[in-house]
Amino acid sequence: MISKRTLKNIAMTIPQQVKIVEVGPRDGLQNEPRPITLQDKIALVNKLSETGLRYIETGSFVSPRWVPQMANSAEVFAGIKRHPSITYAALTPNLKGLERAIDAKADEVAVFVAASEQFSQKNTHCSIAESLERIKPIMAEAKQAGLQVRGYISCVLGCPYQGEVEKDIVAKLAKSLTQLGCYEVSLGDTIGVGTAGKAQQLIHHIKKDVAIEQLAVHYHDTYGQALANIYASLELGVSTIDSSIAGLGGCPYAPGASGNVATEDLVYLLQGLEVESGVELNKLISAGQEICQALGRKTQSKAASALLHKQH
Ligand code: HMG
Ligand code: MG
């Protein structure tokens, strides 16, 4: 049996505050096969802006040929009601994407690389080394425009094409991204195969080179492990967590991968741990209900389903 003293020690290592990076309007919708109206996309961001979230990835400026669902991200940025305390960010694969993001007045941008050569080729049509080269001019131009850059690494705990991924490759990429100027690196378990033990081993390995304060985690929930992986990451001091409203999402280049951990489930977990996120769960649930209704699909959030069921 675990003693109270041990529990207290564990609790002490968990951060008291967590920043949630809401990726629903981008990661959540990018792979949605059904058409989504511009108004529904704008309404989602506006609803999320009322929940206490401080960071919303609002869209992406990638090739519309490859990801048609994000083709109207500029219109989404133009249509939303912005709150001064919220960062409205965009994903940018290259200089053209960055220029579109600057035109759309994104507050911040995110670049992305993969820890697997095959995934890198499928997702961005270039090798891992070439993707790092592509990032260099983005960093320079973003700096000139006064924009901070976040970095993502995909496939950190497994790849849909090559299977196992070496921790060393992930650690080297995390180091490279911070050296290139990314203020934060988000570790993406793109296909949700990771488990708590593997997540901890990976983070232990990376934090030799990159400060824990600069690491974020981005868990897709394909195998139902995302909340366990988040808890395991919190234990190591990670205090930035990506999630998606109603658990929407997936990557077009990761077949079979499901959505990110649901933001509602994440906030429920954090409330239970008395970790401050600043987000109001009831408002979040309402935002999730609205987008699920618009998409004609059921929420993937168990906490939202249970709490809504209780109300009726
Ligand atoms: P490409 O086709 O190899 O590049 O795409 P290209 O430079 O030869 O350009 C081809 C055409 O695309 C040209 O147009 C360009 O102008 C246009 P054309 O001359 O044929 O008419 N183009 C663009 N148009 C608009 N905006 C742009 C842009 N760039 C080129 N930015 C490229 C290379 C990287 C652009 C492409 O492969 C791409 O857009 N990939 C992005 C794929 C993507 O969005 N994946 C999902 C996001 S990543 C993710 O979900 C993972 C994450 O959540 C973390 C995790 O879970 O692991 C972040
Ligand atoms: Mg993702």
Side-chain angles (χ1 to χ4, degrees):
M1 205 175 84
I2 197 160
S3 70
K4 273 199 179 136
R5 189 176 151 71
T6 314
L7 270 177
K8 200 174 161 207
N9 288 345
I10 289 171
M12 276 173 65
T13 64
I14 289 177
Q16 291 178 343
Q17 283 186 343
V18 154
K19 179 177 108 185
I20 296 179
V21 170
E22 170 59 50
V23 297
R26 193 278 304 170
D27 207 348
L29 300 184
Q30 70 183 8
N31 201 28
E32 182 60 42
R34 279 158 285 204
I36 312 167
T37 67
L38 175 63
Q39 287 321 312
D40 284 338
K41 289 182 181 175
I42 292 171
L44 171 63
V45 178
N46 286 344
K47 265 279 203 178
L48 290 170
S49 298
E50 301 295 331
T51 61
L53 284 163
R54 289 285 164 266
Y55 193 109
I56 303 176
E57 201 173 65
T58 304
S60 70
F61 295 101
V62 297
S63 162
R65 179 143 46 103
W66 303 120
V67 187
Q69 195 61 267
M70 290 290 110
N72 60 357
S73 286
E75 287 95 319
V76 176
F77 272 94
I80 57 174
K81 181 168 178 277
R82 297 187 190 218
H83 287 230
S85 55
I86 300 178
T87 300
Y88 297 93
L91 197 68
T92 54
N94 52 18
L95 263 184
K96 182 164 185 172
L98 175 69
E99 277 151 17
R100 292 174 63 208
I102 293 171
D103 286 347
K105 300 194 169 46
D107 296 322
E108 192 175 302
V109 294
V111 292
F112 49 108
V113 297
S116 135
E117 285 295 352
Q118 287 189 51
F119 189 85
S120 183
Q121 287 294 349
K122 295 265 185 200
N123 200 34
T124 47
H125 306 159
C126 65
S127 67
I128 300 175
E130 283 164 345
S131 68
L132 287 172
E133 284 305 311
R134 241 182 227 175
I135 287 172
K136 288 180 185 166
I138 302 181
M139 300 305 301
E141 200 164 315
K143 195 172 176 188
Q144 268 202 334
L147 296 183
Q148 291 207 99
V149 183
R150 187 173 200 249
Y152 280 106
I153 307 175
S154 288
C155 300
V156 299
L157 290 166
C159 164
Y161 308 106
Q162 74 172 48
E164 292 287 316
V165 165
E166 279 177 40
K167 288 198 292 291
D168 251 351
I169 295 185
V170 184
K172 280 192 185 128
L173 280 173
K175 194 174 172 187
S176 300
L177 286 174
T178 52
Q179 283 173 341
L180 286 170
C182 292
Y183 74 92
E184 183 172 283
V185 176
S186 176
L187 304 171
D189 183 11
T190 317
I191 53 170
V193 285
T195 54
K198 282 191 172 167
Q200 285 200 337
Q201 282 170 14
L202 178 70
I203 294 165
H204 257 307
H205 196 68
I206 300 173
K207 73 179 188 168
K208 291 177 201 150
D209 290 319
V210 178
I212 199 80
E213 293 76 21
Q214 285 185 282
L215 293 177
V217 289
H218 178 107
Y219 293 121
H220 285 261
D221 200 30
T222 322
Y223 287 74
Q225 302 298 303
L227 280 180
N229 294 346
I230 287 172
Y231 187 77
S233 309
L234 287 168
E235 277 190 339
L236 295 189
V238 171
S239 60
T240 302
I241 301 170
D242 300 2
S243 63
S244 170
I245 189 73
L248 296 174
C251 173
Y253 299 98
S258 69
N260 297 73
V261 65
T263 312
E264 299 91 318
D265 293 352
L266 170 61
V267 170
Y268 186 81
L269 171 75
L270 295 175
Q271 283 185 350
L273 292 168
E274 296 181 13
V275 172
E276 186 56 46
S277 73
V279 180
E280 290 183 57
L281 184 54
N282 57 340
K283 291 187 177 169
L284 210 51
I285 290 175
S286 158
Q289 267 186 302
E290 208 169 284
I291 185 65
C292 285
Q293 215 163 28
L295 297 175
R297 56 146 80 206
K298 268 175 69 180
T299 181
Q300 297 301 301
S301 163
K302 291 210 167 180
S305 301
L307 289 166
L308 285 167
H309 184 73
K310 217 165 130 186
Q311 278 172 15
H312 293 120

